[in-house]
């Protein structure tokens, strides 16, 4: 029994520790980023023109041409018609900068198809949480949030009756019809991909392991903690993201409305902003492509521990009856 425990626990942990201590980048080139933390208490109550002025003023503080990608937090703009991006004033102003810098921002995506099914709608708002990736030299790409928050975020089209309440209880993913063209990763260049995640999704390790990633990559998480008015969500999420970074050996950029941070592929917090301040976070990340034990087999230690508990509990019940 002791030998078995050593084989399934101690040896894999030792191997993982050696990987942790000796990991090196597979891509020596670095991606320099700007992450804007606007600290808008409620962007849905603030005029879009004021949000644009704030963002542009932050961009002008730095030479944007020195950076490769500009990142904005979760739902910085609501009701963005992704079929007609020229209507978005900020995107127009960003394009006017004539910068080679790419843009990645959290948006509330307006879905016009949604408006065609008023009898099947279970939410009042007409937009859905997502991310927009825009490059001057390429077409815009969209990511729809995959893991929805129970009782807060709902599937866009669903029949009435019991399904409506099940959707609210279990936060059912958006329908396949709605998400058939969604991206799961963004192609940054020929050798690098971006794994986008939105706040709540980062709690689920399988959200990353399920991605079909063919290149080196790094992770970008957009958040908005303005509902909590506390530093706790920022500290808690940074801890979770450190675990994600270790599990998949990826750099993680967290861009939030109220707090932002950079975590390296060893799970160490490199830098972070002061929560609930309007500021900018800058840094550089490298692309990694490593097939970790967690990525191959999932949380096998957790599954093994649960199996041991069930076995022990069953054994005790049997012994008590005899």
């Amino acid at each position: 029994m002791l030998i078995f425990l050593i084989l399934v626990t101690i040896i894999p942990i030792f191997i993982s520790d050696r990987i942790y201590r000796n990991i090196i980048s597979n891509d020596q080139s670095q991606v320099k980023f700007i992450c804007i933390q606007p600290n808008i208490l409620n962007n849905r109550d603030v005029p879009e023109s004021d949000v644009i002025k704030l963002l542009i003023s932050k961009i002008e503080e730095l030479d944007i041409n020195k950076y490769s990608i500009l990142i904005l937090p979760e739902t910085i703009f609501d009701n963005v018609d992704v079929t007609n991006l020229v209507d978005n004033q900020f995107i127009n102003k960003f394009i006017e900068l004539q910068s080679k810098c790419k843009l990645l921002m959290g948006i509330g995506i307006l879905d016009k198809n949604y408006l065609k099914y008023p009898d099947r709608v279970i939410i009042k708002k007409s937009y859905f949480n997502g991310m927009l990736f825009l490059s001057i030299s390429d077409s815009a790409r969209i990511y729809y949030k995959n893991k929805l928050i129970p009782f807060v975020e709902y599937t866009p089209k669903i029949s009435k009756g019991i399904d409506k309440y099940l959707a609210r209880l279990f936060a059912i993913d958006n329908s396949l019809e709605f998400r058939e063209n969604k991206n799961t990763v963004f192609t940054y260049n020929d050798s690098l991909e971006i794994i986008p995640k939105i706040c709540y999704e980062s709690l689920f390790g399988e959200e990353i392991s399920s991605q079909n990633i063919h290149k080196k990559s790094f992770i970008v998480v957009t958040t908005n903690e303005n509902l909590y008015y506390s530093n706790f969500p920022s500290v808690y999420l940074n801890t979770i993201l450190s675990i994600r970074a270790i599990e998949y050996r990826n750099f993680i950029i967290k861009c939030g409305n109220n707090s932002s941070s950079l975590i390296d592929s060893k799970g160490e917090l490199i830098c972070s902003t002061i929560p609930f301040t309007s500021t900018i976070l800058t840094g550089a990340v490298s692309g990694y492509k490593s097939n970790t034990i967690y990525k191959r087999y999932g949380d096998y230690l957790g599954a093994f521990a649960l199996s041991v508990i069930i076995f022990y509990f069953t054994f005790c019940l049997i012994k008590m009856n005899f």
Side-chain angles (χ1 to χ4, degrees):
M1 185 63 178
L2 179 61
I3 296 176
F4 176 74
L5 290 174
I6 292 174
L7 288 176
V8 299
T9 58
I10 297 178
I11 292 179
I13 291 174
F14 175 78
I15 294 173
S16 180
D17 181 70
R18 299 309 303 171
I19 295 173
Y20 172 86
R21 295 178 183 278
N22 298 307
I23 186 171
I24 59 173
S25 174
N26 294 322
D27 186 0
Q28 297 302 321
S29 62
Q30 290 190 319
V31 176
K32 295 183 178 179
F33 69 88
I34 305 175
C35 178
I36 297 182
Q37 177 182 303
N39 192 41
I40 301 171
L41 292 182
N42 192 340
N43 59 313
R44 289 167 188 162
D45 294 335
V46 177
E48 185 174 293
S49 58
D50 292 349
V51 176
I52 293 173
K53 288 179 182 178
L54 174 62
L55 295 177
I56 294 299
S57 66
K58 291 295 182 183
I59 292 174
E60 291 175 346
E61 291 180 11
L62 298 170
D63 183 359
I64 194 173
N65 290 313
K66 292 181 180 179
Y67 298 88
S68 305
I69 186 169
L70 168 65
I71 307 173
L72 302 180
E74 178 184 6
T75 55
I76 190 66
F77 294 108
D78 286 336
N79 288 318
V80 176
D81 183 359
V82 294
T83 64
N84 191 20
L85 291 174
V86 293
D87 283 348
N88 186 278
Q89 297 180 29
F90 174 76
I91 292 177
N92 284 327
K93 288 185 176 294
F94 180 78
I95 293 175
E96 288 175 4
L97 296 175
Q98 295 294 316
S99 172
K100 294 181 180 179
C101 184
K102 296 175 173 60
L103 174 65
L104 178 59
M105 67 178 186
I107 58 175
I109 302 168
L110 174 66
D111 179 44
K112 291 184 176 180
N113 291 326
Y114 164 94
L115 303 176
K116 298 177 182 178
Y117 300 90
D119 59 326
R120 301 177 67 192
V121 169
I122 64 170
I123 57 179
K124 295 179 180 179
K125 62 186 181 182
S126 58
Y127 61 88
F128 307 101
N129 209 339
M131 295 174 71
L132 169 69
F133 182 63
L134 181 65
S135 174
I136 302 300
S137 60
D138 198 0
S139 59
R141 280 161 282 172
I142 306 297
Y143 169 77
Y144 290 94
K145 189 174 183 180
N146 190 42
K147 285 288 184 182
L148 308 181
I149 301 175
F151 296 101
V152 177
E153 296 175 316
Y154 314 121
T155 184
K157 286 177 281 188
I158 193 166
S159 59
K160 293 182 178 180
I162 189 64
D163 289 344
K164 171 180 177 179
Y165 300 100
L166 289 176
R168 294 190 179 197
L169 179 60
F170 297 109
I172 297 173
D173 292 350
N174 295 333
S175 64
L176 293 177
E177 178 186 359
F178 178 75
R179 300 174 54 210
E180 60 183 358
N181 295 320
K182 86 176 187 69
N183 292 276
T184 55
V185 297
F186 294 131
T187 300
Y188 180 83
N189 56 32
D190 292 339
S191 61
L192 189 63
E193 290 178 328
I194 301 173
I195 304 173
K197 291 298 160 192
I198 302 174
C199 195
Y200 179 71
E201 292 182 309
S202 57
L203 301 181
F204 303 90
E206 65 272 14
E207 275 297 299
I208 301 174
S209 62
S210 62
Q211 306 290 349
N212 191 16
I213 302 169
H214 303 287
K215 306 174 183 177
K216 305 175 185 73
S217 62
F218 63 93
I219 301 169
V220 175
V221 177
T222 58
T223 68
N224 189 345
E225 303 106 340
N226 63 5
L227 297 176
Y228 302 98
Y229 303 103
S230 167
N231 293 344
F232 173 75
S234 174
V235 174
Y236 176 74
L237 187 55
N238 282 339
T239 302
I240 294 295
L241 294 180
S242 293
I243 295 173
R244 297 288 93 86
I246 294 172
E247 288 172 347
Y248 299 102
R249 300 304 178 193
N250 279 104
F251 269 88
I252 298 180
I253 304 169
K254 186 191 82 170
C255 180
N257 178 33
N258 311 104
S259 68
S260 304
S261 59
L262 173 62
I263 299 172
D264 69 11
S265 56
K266 295 180 180 180
E268 297 174 354
L269 183 65
I270 297 178
C271 57
S272 62
T273 60
I274 299 174
F276 295 98
T277 59
S278 180
T279 186
I280 291 175
L281 178 71
T282 62
V285 296
S286 297
Y288 284 77
K289 185 180 180 182
S290 57
N291 198 5
T292 63
I293 294 176
Y294 185 92
K295 188 174 181 179
R296 287 182 182 181
Y297 308 111
D299 189 11
Y300 83 96
L301 286 178
F304 173 73
L306 180 61
S307 300
V308 171
I309 292 173
I310 294 174
F311 173 79
Y312 181 76
F313 182 73
T314 304
F315 176 78
C316 290
L317 285 178
I318 295 174
K319 190 174 181 180
M320 288 173 61
N321 291 332
F322 290 95

